[in-house]
Structure formats: structure tokens, C-alpha cells
Amino acid sequence: MLPVDHHGDVMSRTSLLPIIALVLFLAACSGDDDASPADPSDLSRATTTTLPDLDLSLTRSELVSDSAARSELTDPVRAEVLGVVEELLESASLTPMVTGSVVGDLGALFTTDAGERAGGPDRHLMIDEGLPRSFRVEVLRSDVGLTGLGGAVEPVQMVVARVRLELRSVSWRGVEVARVARSGDLTLIPTDDGWRISEYQVSVERDVAPRAQRRARGSRWTAVEPDGDD
């Protein structure tokens, strides 16, 4: 028996098709909200990515010398050193965690020898590339303490930057994709081209969500295994 409208006329089966299609569409949308958690690296609905401000927190800025009392490390040296450290962390950690892309040459931030090591055998230690692409990166911690070597009169000869950085990347759903925690010391010296990193002693821990890791291995990204015995 065919349904009738409020005027008593018989409604054709053809006129019901748009209504049925709409009901099925709404049911599918509702079911998607109740589905199991999606792959954390799923970016199918993301239209943009967000790169946050690093906003380094300066925990210490001191100048030490054998010939003078301890004093404060001031600008312009402090500002120039902080600029190099911030550029390194943004280029080597923040950007690749958002884009999942390979990092370009960072040699301009290092002396020649240090740059060759950082971009060669120590690349996996210095650069957080190869992680699954994410929608947003959250800065959980970004501390740096500066200790300069120099006297009250002579130029500052060296600055050691002690860095603590913790980042968390999430998908468009807000599901965690990866975490990176790095710490260590960067030694900077003045050169003809400005302050450059001449030595480094750093450690890094990377934790990739299992589902995001599987997704990365099956795509154009290669997930970086955390250091250690795990």
C-alpha cells in the first residue's frame, strides 16, 4: 500500500527516494561519530597545519670568568645566541613534526666541522624528521639556560646553551601522534659570520603512537624508532 500525503493523494515511490537517501546519509554521519578511534595520523579532513611559536623560556643568562665576578650575559650576544638556538629547534624539530618532510641544510647554524657531523652521522640525533605528519604541534616545554665565558672587558669567547625541549603532535581529531623530548648542551662560538654551534652533547627520546607508526611505515614517511632497548 502506498503512503498518502496530507491532502489524501497517493505519494509515488519515486518521490520517496530523496527522503530515503537523506535518512541514510544522516545515519552514516551519526555512525561515524560513534566509531572506534581513527588512525591518529589521519589528515583526510584537515585543511591546514599549525606551526606554534617556540617562545623560548630563558632560565639562566650568566657570564663567568677567572678574572671577574660572575655577571649577567647581556645583549647583543644573548640575543644572537638565542636566535641561533631558536632557529635550530624550529627547523630541526617543530617544522618536521608538523610536515613530516625531510629537513633541508642546517649547516649555516654550525661551524663547518660541526655542521658536517650534524648533517651526517648525527643527523638522526639532531633532527626530528621521518615522523608522521600531524595537524598541530604543542610545545610542552622550551627552556634554555645560557652560560657565557668571558671577562668584564674582553669579548665573550664562548656560550653554552643548555636546552630542554618537549613537543607533542596531534591529529586533526586531537589524538596524539608523537612526542619528542630532547635535552643537552649546545656550545656556540663567535665567527666572522656570527655565532655558530661548534659542539653539541644532546639526547633525544621519540615516542610514536602505534597506529600512527604503522600508517607512517605504509606511506611516504618512515617512522623513527625511539633510541634504547624498547
Side-chain angles (χ1 to χ4, degrees), residues 56 58 60-64 71-86 144-161 186-191 193-197:
L56 288 176
L58 186 61
R60 181 178 62 255
S61 180
E62 60 182 5
L63 184 63
V64 297
S71 58
E72 182 181 3
L73 178 67
T74 59
D75 295 338
V77 172
R78 177 174 61 190
E80 292 175 4
V81 168
L82 284 175
V84 173
V85 173
E86 184 170 6
V144 59
L146 303 180
T147 301
L149 177 62
V153 179
E154 65 268 22
V156 180
Q157 305 168 20
M158 178 181 70
V159 175
V160 176
L186 306 173
T187 300
L188 295 92
I189 61 173
T191 71
D193 298 319
W195 285 85
R196 296 292 183 266
I197 301 168

Short mmCIF file of all heavy atoms in Angstrom, two decimals, residues 56 58 60-64 71-86 144-161 186-191 193-197:
data_model
loop_
_atom_site.label_atom_id
_atom_site.label_comp_id
_atom_site.label_asym_id
_atom_site.label_seq_id
_atom_site.Cartn_x
_atom_site.Cartn_y
_atom_site.Cartn_z
N LEU A 56 60.91 30.55 23.53
CA LEU A 56 61.89 30.02 24.47
C LEU A 56 61.81 30.72 25.82
O LEU A 56 61.69 31.94 25.90
CB LEU A 56 63.30 30.19 23.90
CG LEU A 56 63.70 29.28 22.74
CD1 LEU A 56 65.10 29.66 22.24
CD2 LEU A 56 63.68 27.83 23.16
N LEU A 58 63.88 31.66 28.96
CA LEU A 58 65.27 31.82 29.39
C LEU A 58 65.38 31.58 30.89
O LEU A 58 64.88 32.36 31.70
CB LEU A 58 65.77 33.22 29.03
CG LEU A 58 67.25 33.51 29.28
CD1 LEU A 58 68.13 32.58 28.47
CD2 LEU A 58 67.57 34.97 28.96
N ARG A 60 68.35 30.96 32.55
CA ARG A 60 69.62 31.46 33.10
C ARG A 60 70.35 32.24 32.01
O ARG A 60 70.31 31.87 30.84
CB ARG A 60 70.50 30.31 33.57
CG ARG A 60 71.83 30.74 34.19
CD ARG A 60 72.63 29.55 34.69
NE ARG A 60 73.01 28.63 33.63
CZ ARG A 60 72.46 27.45 33.42
NH1 ARG A 60 71.48 27.02 34.21
NH2 ARG A 60 72.84 26.66 32.44
N SER A 61 71.02 33.33 32.40
CA SER A 61 71.83 34.11 31.47
C SER A 61 72.99 34.72 32.27
O SER A 61 72.87 35.79 32.84
CB SER A 61 70.98 35.21 30.82
OG SER A 61 71.75 35.97 29.92
N GLU A 62 74.08 33.99 32.31
CA GLU A 62 75.20 34.40 33.16
C GLU A 62 76.51 34.42 32.39
O GLU A 62 76.67 33.73 31.38
CB GLU A 62 75.33 33.46 34.37
CG GLU A 62 75.58 32.01 34.00
CD GLU A 62 75.65 31.11 35.21
OE1 GLU A 62 75.41 31.59 36.33
OE2 GLU A 62 75.95 29.91 35.03
N LEU A 63 77.44 35.21 32.89
CA LEU A 63 78.77 35.33 32.32
C LEU A 63 79.78 35.03 33.40
O LEU A 63 79.76 35.65 34.46
CB LEU A 63 78.98 36.74 31.77
CG LEU A 63 80.29 37.03 31.05
CD1 LEU A 63 80.41 36.18 29.79
CD2 LEU A 63 80.40 38.51 30.70
N VAL A 64 80.63 34.04 33.16
CA VAL A 64 81.62 33.64 34.15
C VAL A 64 83.02 33.88 33.61
O VAL A 64 83.26 33.84 32.39
CB VAL A 64 81.47 32.15 34.54
CG1 VAL A 64 80.12 31.92 35.19
CG2 VAL A 64 81.62 31.25 33.32
N SER A 71 78.61 37.61 36.36
CA SER A 71 77.71 38.69 35.98
C SER A 71 76.69 38.17 34.98
O SER A 71 76.64 36.98 34.66
CB SER A 71 78.50 39.86 35.37
OG SER A 71 79.24 39.44 34.23
N GLU A 72 75.87 39.07 34.48
CA GLU A 72 74.81 38.67 33.54
C GLU A 72 75.31 38.72 32.11
O GLU A 72 76.01 39.66 31.71
CB GLU A 72 73.60 39.59 33.69
CG GLU A 72 72.43 39.21 32.79
CD GLU A 72 71.26 40.16 32.94
OE1 GLU A 72 71.38 41.14 33.70
OE2 GLU A 72 70.22 39.93 32.27
N LEU A 73 74.95 37.70 31.35
CA LEU A 73 75.20 37.71 29.91
C LEU A 73 74.11 38.55 29.26
O LEU A 73 72.92 38.26 29.39
CB LEU A 73 75.18 36.28 29.36
CG LEU A 73 75.39 36.15 27.85
CD1 LEU A 73 76.80 36.55 27.46
CD2 LEU A 73 75.11 34.72 27.40
N THR A 74 74.52 39.59 28.57
CA THR A 74 73.56 40.56 28.05
C THR A 74 73.60 40.60 26.52
O THR A 74 74.42 39.95 25.87
CB THR A 74 73.85 41.96 28.61
OG1 THR A 74 75.19 42.35 28.24
CG2 THR A 74 73.74 41.97 30.13
N ASP A 75 72.68 41.40 25.97
CA ASP A 75 72.67 41.63 24.52
C ASP A 75 73.88 42.48 24.13
O ASP A 75 74.42 43.20 24.98
CB ASP A 75 71.38 42.36 24.12
CG ASP A 75 70.14 41.51 24.36
OD1 ASP A 75 70.29 40.28 24.41
OD2 ASP A 75 69.05 42.09 24.50
N PRO A 76 74.36 42.37 22.90
CA PRO A 76 73.76 41.65 21.78
C PRO A 76 74.09 40.14 21.73
O PRO A 76 73.47 39.41 20.97
CB PRO A 76 74.33 42.36 20.57
CG PRO A 76 75.68 42.80 21.01
CD PRO A 76 75.53 43.19 22.46
N VAL A 77 75.09 39.71 22.55
CA VAL A 77 75.48 38.31 22.49
C VAL A 77 74.32 37.40 22.85
O VAL A 77 74.05 36.41 22.16
CB VAL A 77 76.68 38.04 23.43
CG1 VAL A 77 76.98 36.55 23.52
CG2 VAL A 77 77.91 38.79 22.95
N ARG A 78 73.61 37.71 23.91
CA ARG A 78 72.49 36.88 24.35
C ARG A 78 71.44 36.74 23.24
O ARG A 78 70.98 35.63 22.96
CB ARG A 78 71.86 37.47 25.61
CG ARG A 78 70.64 36.71 26.11
CD ARG A 78 70.17 37.27 27.44
NE ARG A 78 69.79 38.68 27.33
CZ ARG A 78 69.54 39.47 28.37
NH1 ARG A 78 69.62 38.97 29.61
NH2 ARG A 78 69.21 40.72 28.18
N ALA A 79 71.08 37.85 22.63
CA ALA A 79 70.05 37.82 21.59
C ALA A 79 70.52 37.02 20.37
O ALA A 79 69.74 36.25 19.78
CB ALA A 79 69.68 39.25 21.16
N GLU A 80 71.77 37.16 19.99
CA GLU A 80 72.28 36.45 18.82
C GLU A 80 72.33 34.94 19.08
O GLU A 80 71.98 34.13 18.20
CB GLU A 80 73.66 36.98 18.45
CG GLU A 80 73.63 38.42 17.94
CD GLU A 80 75.03 38.97 17.69
OE1 GLU A 80 76.00 38.20 17.84
OE2 GLU A 80 75.15 40.16 17.35
N VAL A 81 72.78 34.55 20.26
CA VAL A 81 72.85 33.13 20.61
C VAL A 81 71.45 32.53 20.67
O VAL A 81 71.19 31.44 20.14
CB VAL A 81 73.60 32.93 21.93
CG1 VAL A 81 73.43 31.50 22.45
CG2 VAL A 81 75.08 33.26 21.76
N LEU A 82 70.52 33.22 21.31
CA LEU A 82 69.15 32.73 21.38
C LEU A 82 68.54 32.58 19.99
O LEU A 82 67.78 31.65 19.73
CB LEU A 82 68.30 33.67 22.23
CG LEU A 82 68.47 33.59 23.75
CD1 LEU A 82 67.64 34.67 24.44
CD2 LEU A 82 68.09 32.21 24.27
N GLY A 83 68.88 33.48 19.10
CA GLY A 83 68.36 33.40 17.74
C GLY A 83 68.82 32.13 17.02
O GLY A 83 68.04 31.49 16.32
N VAL A 84 70.09 31.76 17.21
CA VAL A 84 70.62 30.55 16.59
C VAL A 84 69.95 29.31 17.19
O VAL A 84 69.53 28.40 16.46
CB VAL A 84 72.15 30.46 16.77
CG1 VAL A 84 72.68 29.12 16.26
CG2 VAL A 84 72.83 31.61 16.03
N VAL A 85 69.82 29.27 18.51
CA VAL A 85 69.20 28.12 19.18
C VAL A 85 67.75 27.98 18.76
O VAL A 85 67.28 26.87 18.45
CB VAL A 85 69.31 28.28 20.72
CG1 VAL A 85 68.51 27.18 21.42
CG2 VAL A 85 70.76 28.25 21.16
N GLU A 86 67.02 29.08 18.72
CA GLU A 86 65.61 29.03 18.34
C GLU A 86 65.44 28.57 16.90
O GLU A 86 64.56 27.75 16.59
CB GLU A 86 64.96 30.40 18.53
CG GLU A 86 63.47 30.40 18.26
CD GLU A 86 62.80 31.70 18.69
OE1 GLU A 86 63.53 32.63 19.10
OE2 GLU A 86 61.57 31.78 18.63
N VAL A 144 65.79 27.23 27.96
CA VAL A 144 67.20 27.34 27.60
C VAL A 144 67.91 28.19 28.64
O VAL A 144 67.41 29.23 29.06
CB VAL A 144 67.38 27.95 26.19
CG1 VAL A 144 66.75 29.34 26.10
CG2 VAL A 144 68.85 28.01 25.81
N GLY A 145 69.06 27.69 29.10
CA GLY A 145 69.90 28.43 30.02
C GLY A 145 71.23 28.74 29.36
O GLY A 145 71.85 27.87 28.76
N LEU A 146 71.68 29.98 29.47
CA LEU A 146 72.91 30.42 28.80
C LEU A 146 74.01 30.70 29.83
O LEU A 146 73.78 31.40 30.82
CB LEU A 146 72.65 31.68 27.98
CG LEU A 146 71.56 31.61 26.90
CD1 LEU A 146 71.45 32.94 26.18
CD2 LEU A 146 71.85 30.48 25.92
N THR A 147 75.18 30.17 29.57
CA THR A 147 76.37 30.44 30.37
C THR A 147 77.50 30.84 29.44
O THR A 147 77.94 30.03 28.61
CB THR A 147 76.79 29.22 31.19
OG1 THR A 147 75.72 28.82 32.05
CG2 THR A 147 78.02 29.53 32.05
N GLY A 148 77.93 32.09 29.56
CA GLY A 148 79.00 32.59 28.70
C GLY A 148 80.34 32.59 29.41
O GLY A 148 80.41 32.68 30.64
N LEU A 149 81.39 32.49 28.65
CA LEU A 149 82.75 32.54 29.17
C LEU A 149 83.41 33.80 28.66
O LEU A 149 83.57 33.99 27.45
CB LEU A 149 83.55 31.31 28.73
CG LEU A 149 85.02 31.26 29.14
CD1 LEU A 149 85.16 31.25 30.67
CD2 LEU A 149 85.73 30.07 28.52
N GLY A 150 83.82 34.66 29.58
CA GLY A 150 84.46 35.91 29.19
C GLY A 150 84.60 36.81 30.39
O GLY A 150 84.01 36.56 31.45
N GLY A 151 85.35 37.87 30.24
CA GLY A 151 85.58 38.78 31.34
C GLY A 151 84.74 40.02 31.23
O GLY A 151 83.86 40.13 30.37
N ALA A 152 85.00 40.95 32.12
CA ALA A 152 84.23 42.18 32.13
C ALA A 152 84.62 43.09 30.97
O ALA A 152 83.84 43.94 30.55
CB ALA A 152 84.45 42.91 33.46
N VAL A 153 85.84 42.91 30.45
CA VAL A 153 86.34 43.78 29.37
C VAL A 153 86.47 43.02 28.06
O VAL A 153 86.00 43.46 27.01
CB VAL A 153 87.70 44.40 29.75
CG1 VAL A 153 88.22 45.27 28.61
CG2 VAL A 153 87.59 45.20 31.03
N GLU A 154 87.14 41.83 28.11
CA GLU A 154 87.37 41.09 26.88
C GLU A 154 86.07 40.53 26.32
O GLU A 154 85.10 40.34 27.04
CB GLU A 154 88.38 39.96 27.11
CG GLU A 154 87.90 38.87 28.05
CD GLU A 154 88.31 39.12 29.49
OE1 GLU A 154 88.58 40.29 29.83
OE2 GLU A 154 88.33 38.15 30.26
N PRO A 155 86.03 40.27 25.01
CA PRO A 155 84.81 39.74 24.37
C PRO A 155 84.44 38.36 24.92
O PRO A 155 85.29 37.62 25.41
CB PRO A 155 85.19 39.66 22.89
CG PRO A 155 86.35 40.58 22.73
CD PRO A 155 87.09 40.53 24.04
N VAL A 156 83.18 38.05 24.82
CA VAL A 156 82.72 36.72 25.22
C VAL A 156 83.30 35.70 24.24
O VAL A 156 83.17 35.83 23.03
CB VAL A 156 81.18 36.65 25.21
CG1 VAL A 156 80.71 35.26 25.62
CG2 VAL A 156 80.60 37.72 26.14
N GLN A 157 83.95 34.67 24.78
CA GLN A 157 84.65 33.70 23.94
C GLN A 157 83.78 32.51 23.55
O GLN A 157 84.01 31.87 22.52
CB GLN A 157 85.89 33.18 24.68
CG GLN A 157 86.84 34.28 25.13
CD GLN A 157 87.90 33.76 26.09
OE1 GLN A 157 88.16 32.56 26.15
NE2 GLN A 157 88.50 34.66 26.85
N MET A 158 82.79 32.21 24.37
CA MET A 158 82.01 31.01 24.16
C MET A 158 80.73 31.09 24.99
O MET A 158 80.72 31.69 26.06
CB MET A 158 82.83 29.78 24.57
CG MET A 158 82.12 28.45 24.46
SD MET A 158 83.21 27.08 25.00
CE MET A 158 83.28 27.43 26.77
N VAL A 159 79.67 30.48 24.50
CA VAL A 159 78.42 30.40 25.25
C VAL A 159 77.90 28.96 25.16
O VAL A 159 77.84 28.39 24.07
CB VAL A 159 77.34 31.37 24.70
CG1 VAL A 159 76.02 31.16 25.45
CG2 VAL A 159 77.80 32.82 24.83
N VAL A 160 77.54 28.41 26.31
CA VAL A 160 76.93 27.09 26.35
C VAL A 160 75.43 27.27 26.60
O VAL A 160 75.03 27.91 27.58
CB VAL A 160 77.55 26.21 27.46
CG1 VAL A 160 76.81 24.87 27.53
CG2 VAL A 160 79.03 25.98 27.18
N ALA A 161 74.63 26.73 25.68
CA ALA A 161 73.17 26.81 25.80
C ALA A 161 72.65 25.44 26.23
O ALA A 161 72.79 24.47 25.49
CB ALA A 161 72.55 27.22 24.48
N LEU A 186 74.47 22.93 23.80
CA LEU A 186 74.99 23.43 22.53
C LEU A 186 76.06 24.46 22.84
O LEU A 186 75.80 25.42 23.57
CB LEU A 186 73.89 24.06 21.69
CG LEU A 186 72.63 23.23 21.41
CD1 LEU A 186 71.58 24.08 20.72
CD2 LEU A 186 72.98 22.00 20.58
N THR A 187 77.26 24.28 22.32
CA THR A 187 78.34 25.23 22.53
C THR A 187 78.46 26.12 21.30
O THR A 187 78.63 25.63 20.18
CB THR A 187 79.67 24.50 22.77
OG1 THR A 187 79.55 23.66 23.92
CG2 THR A 187 80.80 25.50 22.99
N LEU A 188 78.37 27.42 21.52
CA LEU A 188 78.43 28.38 20.42
C LEU A 188 79.65 29.26 20.56
O LEU A 188 80.03 29.65 21.68
CB LEU A 188 77.17 29.24 20.37
CG LEU A 188 75.86 28.51 20.05
CD1 LEU A 188 75.16 28.06 21.34
CD2 LEU A 188 74.93 29.39 19.23
N ILE A 189 80.27 29.59 19.43
CA ILE A 189 81.44 30.47 19.42
C ILE A 189 81.21 31.56 18.38
O ILE A 189 80.46 31.38 17.42
CB ILE A 189 82.73 29.69 19.09
CG1 ILE A 189 82.64 29.04 17.70
CG2 ILE A 189 83.01 28.64 20.17
CD1 ILE A 189 83.94 28.39 17.24
N PRO A 190 81.89 32.72 18.57
CA PRO A 190 81.75 33.79 17.57
C PRO A 190 82.61 33.50 16.35
O PRO A 190 83.74 33.03 16.45
CB PRO A 190 82.26 35.02 18.33
CG PRO A 190 83.21 34.48 19.36
CD PRO A 190 82.68 33.13 19.73
N THR A 191 82.07 33.72 15.17
CA THR A 191 82.80 33.57 13.92
C THR A 191 82.61 34.84 13.09
O THR A 191 81.88 35.75 13.47
CB THR A 191 82.30 32.36 13.11
OG1 THR A 191 81.00 32.65 12.59
CG2 THR A 191 82.23 31.11 13.99
N ASP A 193 80.91 35.06 10.57
CA ASP A 193 79.52 35.06 10.10
C ASP A 193 78.51 35.14 11.23
O ASP A 193 77.30 34.95 11.00
CB ASP A 193 79.26 33.80 9.28
CG ASP A 193 80.13 33.73 8.04
OD1 ASP A 193 80.32 34.77 7.39
OD2 ASP A 193 80.64 32.62 7.73
N GLY A 194 78.99 35.39 12.45
CA GLY A 194 78.10 35.44 13.60
C GLY A 194 78.33 34.24 14.52
O GLY A 194 79.27 33.47 14.33
N TRP A 195 77.44 34.07 15.50
CA TRP A 195 77.57 32.97 16.44
C TRP A 195 77.13 31.66 15.77
O TRP A 195 76.10 31.61 15.10
CB TRP A 195 76.74 33.24 17.69
CG TRP A 195 77.39 34.27 18.57
CD1 TRP A 195 77.28 35.61 18.46
CD2 TRP A 195 78.26 34.01 19.66
NE1 TRP A 195 78.03 36.22 19.43
CE2 TRP A 195 78.65 35.27 20.19
CE3 TRP A 195 78.75 32.85 20.26
CZ2 TRP A 195 79.51 35.38 21.27
CZ3 TRP A 195 79.61 32.97 21.34
CH2 TRP A 195 79.98 34.23 21.84
N ARG A 196 77.95 30.62 15.96
CA ARG A 196 77.68 29.34 15.34
C ARG A 196 77.89 28.22 16.37
O ARG A 196 78.70 28.34 17.30
CB ARG A 196 78.60 29.10 14.13
CG ARG A 196 78.37 30.08 12.99
CD ARG A 196 77.01 29.86 12.35
NE ARG A 196 76.79 30.74 11.21
CZ ARG A 196 76.18 31.92 11.27
NH1 ARG A 196 75.74 32.38 12.46
NH2 ARG A 196 76.00 32.64 10.19
N ILE A 197 77.19 27.11 16.18
CA ILE A 197 77.31 25.95 17.06
C ILE A 197 78.56 25.17 16.67
O ILE A 197 78.69 24.71 15.54
CB ILE A 197 76.08 25.04 16.96
CG1 ILE A 197 74.82 25.83 17.32
CG2 ILE A 197 76.22 23.81 17.86
CD1 ILE A 197 73.52 25.10 16.97
#
